[in-house]
Amino acid sequence: MMDFKEEKKVFSSFLKGRGLKHTAQREEILKAFLSEERHFTAEDLYLLLKEKKPAIGFATVYRTLKLLCEANLASEVYLEGSRVRYEHKYRHEMHEHIVCVNCGKTIELKVPEMESLTKKIEKKYKFKLTEHRLKLFGKCEECRRDKNEE
Ligand SMILES: [Zn+2]
Ligand SMILES: [Zn+2]
């Protein structure tokens, strides 16, 4: 079991800076968020928490996720569909995603070539890029096997 001391510290000082309280509910949401190494929606996290902590409402989960993003602990990812998903940011390296259009399986990958590509683009368009998102869509091995596709 990982302890999330550092993340808790980051969140606490962020909340303090905003004049917000580090409530027990916010702490529970942070813990649940950090325990899941997935890309999930606010609804997913809410349903996960609901079993153990029925007092926590959806709006609180949603707002806390937004705060976690502002505190640089979480980031929003847009994978398939229009629903925003969340993933860990703190102590996680920049990565890209491949998404299966059939079952939604998501794989994280590092693309070393992105760095030199980014530099080329910056030079050509005289931009300083602060962020990039490469999204790759396709069908995973299992989904192709089910339908006997190549
Ligand atoms: Zn699939
Ligand atoms: Zn990811």
Side-chain angles (χ1 to χ4, degrees), residues 100-105 138-144:
C100 175
V101 293
N102 194 50
C103 69
K105 175 159 134 192
K139 279 188 185 167
C140 74
E141 199 177 4
E142 280 141 51
C143 288
R144 291 201 320 279

Side-chain angles (χ1 to χ4, degrees), residues 39 77 87 95-97 108:
H39 303 83
V77 265
E87 67 177 2
H95 58 268
E96 316 298 339
H97 298 101
E108 298 191 331

Side-chain angles (χ1 to χ4, degrees), residues 4-140:
F4 305 118
K5 254 192 214 148
E6 274 192 57
E7 285 85 349
K8 276 187 207 167
K9 240 190 260 168
V10 170
F11 197 40
S12 281
S13 66
F14 168 82
L15 292 171
K16 218 184 202 173
R18 285 291 181 90
L20 296 167
K21 269 192 218 149
H22 196 156
T23 61
Q25 290 202 343
R26 284 189 177 129
E27 173 93 19
E28 285 301 331
I29 295 166
L30 174 69
K31 260 203 294 193
F33 168 73
L34 294 170
S35 318
E36 288 287 310
E37 202 60 60
R38 283 193 295 141
H39 303 83
F40 46 78
T41 62
E43 286 86 356
D44 294 337
L45 190 62
Y46 167 67
L47 292 174
L48 206 89
L49 273 157
K50 210 176 142 187
E51 292 178 21
K52 285 184 281 174
K53 306 277 165 188
I56 301 180
F58 176 73
T60 309
V61 174
Y62 181 79
R63 282 197 299 261
T64 304
L65 280 169
K66 292 279 171 204
L67 291 174
L68 290 175
C69 288
E70 289 174 47
N72 273 323
L73 290 165
S75 55
E76 295 185 336
V77 265
Y78 295 86
L79 299 172
E80 81 328 322
S82 55
R83 291 194 308 168
V84 60
R85 289 172 190 275
Y86 298 87
E87 67 177 2
H88 302 170
K89 184 173 185 186
Y90 190 69
R91 292 197 282 182
H92 281 63
E93 276 181 83
M94 180 97 107
H95 58 268
E96 316 298 339
H97 298 101
I98 306 182
V99 183
C100 175
V101 293
N102 194 50
C103 69
K105 175 159 134 192
T106 304
I107 294 171
E108 298 191 331
L109 71 156
K110 300 247 163 65
V111 185
E113 292 84 356
M114 273 306 276
E115 206 178 315
S116 60
L117 182 62
T118 302
K119 286 201 180 104
K120 264 187 217 158
I121 292 168
E122 285 184 328
K123 210 171 158 196
K124 188 169 176 190
Y125 298 98
K126 299 187 172 62
F127 256 70
K128 176 78 198 134
L129 299 178
T130 50
E131 196 185 323
H132 56 76
R133 290 177 182 180
L134 177 67
K135 278 195 290 187
L136 305 162
F137 293 97
K139 279 188 185 167
C140 74

